[in-house]
Amino acid sequence: MDIALVFPGQGSQKPGMAQDLAARYPAAAAVMAAADAALGFPLSETCYTGSADALTATEVAQPALLAHGIAAWTVLADRLRPHVRCAAGHSLGEFTAHVAAGTLAFDDAMRLVRTRGEAMRDAAAARAGAMAAILGDLRRPIDAICDDATRDTGLVVAANYNSPGQVVVSGEVAGVERVMVLAKEAGAKRAMPLKVSGAFHSPLMAPARDALEGALVAAPMRDPAFPVYANVTAAPVIDAATTRTLLGEQLTGAVRWTETVRRIAADHPGIVFVECGPGHVLYGLIHKAVPGAEVWHAGTVADLETILGKVA
């Protein structure tokens, strides 16, 4: 059996996340305690009992997702590690993937993603932006539509190529609104504004990228124990230097998730995707990109017990 670890990004967080894992598994509880120690505040309590609004804050959601993903992976690691061939993560999840691969120590990664979230929050406050999901098949490439909207009204780019028929655009408010109109004219079934605080994965995040790159330079890194597929290239990364560069570029670059999943499936025929973290967002995206792919959830005690029963 070959396994690809995959980790979700912002938007998958939810109240009560990781609470059952910490109550059931001492190893998961230790991860959540280590997250609190690394950050200097009780992140675990926010995960367990905090409101949806409290968890939505970018600077909270990102470390919360990393902690939950690594808590699940830590419980599974002894059993699954011999089968893992690669990893990937959607946006923030790429950092979690690098912790699982040993590129980053957990406490260093927690501080990095806290910095990342704060920098993204500050960049969004300094320059208003928006994002929108474009659903359905288009008669024109989304990049061409974004180019037209940028010329017409304001800067906008494709930010997340999530799955066939689902792309997220990001940029100045006027540009995003114009893309929504042009996409509907090009055949989109729906064009929906997203409830986000800024234009993530767009050039508007340049100040956040600068801040994150400074933190990445200072963070100790090792070559990953297995390849981690990068968001901005959809290609496997096997060294620390490239990891540093691409994790910085990710803030202003697109998340090429469809291409990433298809590349993993092509490189490792028959591979099983194991989604570590809350929710099932990646499950749906993977199935749309690679119909028939086997995807296991690893977010709750029930999920983990099922997996542990499958893998001897």
Side-chain angles (χ1 to χ4, degrees):
M1 175 188 296
D2 291 340
I3 285 174
L5 301 175
V6 290
F7 298 91
Q10 200 167 335
S12 292
Q13 71 278 355
K14 58 182 180 179
M17 58 190 291
Q19 186 173 18
D20 69 331
L21 298 185
R24 171 67 176 81
Y25 304 109
V31 169
M32 300 305 293
D36 294 347
L39 297 179
F41 71 89
L43 175 71
S44 61
E45 288 305 311
T46 304
C47 291
Y48 303 159
T49 63
S51 66
D53 286 344
L55 282 167
T56 297
T58 299
E59 67 275 16
V60 174
Q62 295 193 28
L65 286 163
L66 189 149
H68 189 162
I70 294 305
W73 164 241
T74 299
V75 173
L76 298 172
D78 286 348
R79 197 76 60 85
L80 264 56
R81 187 179 284 111
H83 303 280
V84 174
R85 301 293 172 259
C86 61
H90 191 286
S91 189
L92 174 278
E94 191 172 340
F95 283 81
T96 320
H98 276 292
V99 175
T103 320
L104 284 163
F106 177 71
D107 56 349
D108 291 329
M110 290 299 296
R111 289 186 285 268
L112 273 175
V113 301
R114 176 73 173 183
T115 296
R116 182 181 187 266
E118 290 172 342
M120 292 168 70
R121 176 200 63 198
D122 294 346
R127 186 176 180 187
M131 300 179 77
I134 309 300
L135 307 180
D137 295 329
L138 302 173
R139 292 187 293 272
R140 300 178 58 213
I142 188 64
D143 293 337
I145 293 173
C146 288
D147 288 345
D148 288 348
T150 296
R151 285 192 296 269
D152 291 346
T153 54
L155 176 66
V156 58
V157 296
N160 300 344
Y161 298 89
N162 283 335
S163 69
Q166 184 186 137
V167 178
V168 173
V169 297
S170 179
E172 295 176 339
V173 175
V176 171
E177 290 175 345
R178 180 60 176 159
V179 164
M180 293 170 67
V181 172
L182 294 177
K184 291 295 289 291
E185 293 175 354
K189 291 181 179 179
R190 299 178 69 187
M192 307 181 301
L194 300 180
K195 293 181 180 180
V196 296
S197 60
F200 305 141
H201 297 290
S202 84
L204 274 66
M205 286 291 112
R209 173 179 167 173
D210 292 343
L212 177 61
E213 286 179 336
L216 286 166
V217 168
M221 288 192 191
R222 296 180 295 179
D223 293 346
F226 42 77
V228 176
Y229 285 68
N231 283 186
V232 295
T233 63
V237 177
I238 58 173
D239 65 279
T242 304
T243 297
R244 255 195 198 89
T245 298
L246 296 183
L247 287 176
E249 290 181 4
Q250 189 212 70
L251 269 189
T252 53
V255 176
R256 301 185 178 278
W257 189 249
T258 301
E259 188 179 349
T260 297
V261 171
R262 287 176 170 170
R263 175 75 181 269
I264 291 172
D267 290 349
H268 305 277
I271 200 162
V272 176
F273 294 87
V274 178
E275 180 179 2
C276 296
H280 307 130
V281 171
L282 299 185
Y283 176 91
L285 299 183
I286 291 169
H287 273 286
K288 289 178 181 178
V290 183
E294 189 170 358
V295 186
W296 298 350
H297 303 303
T300 66
V301 167
D303 294 336
L304 270 58
E305 291 298 318
T306 297
I307 291 173
L308 291 170
K310 289 179 178 180
V311 183

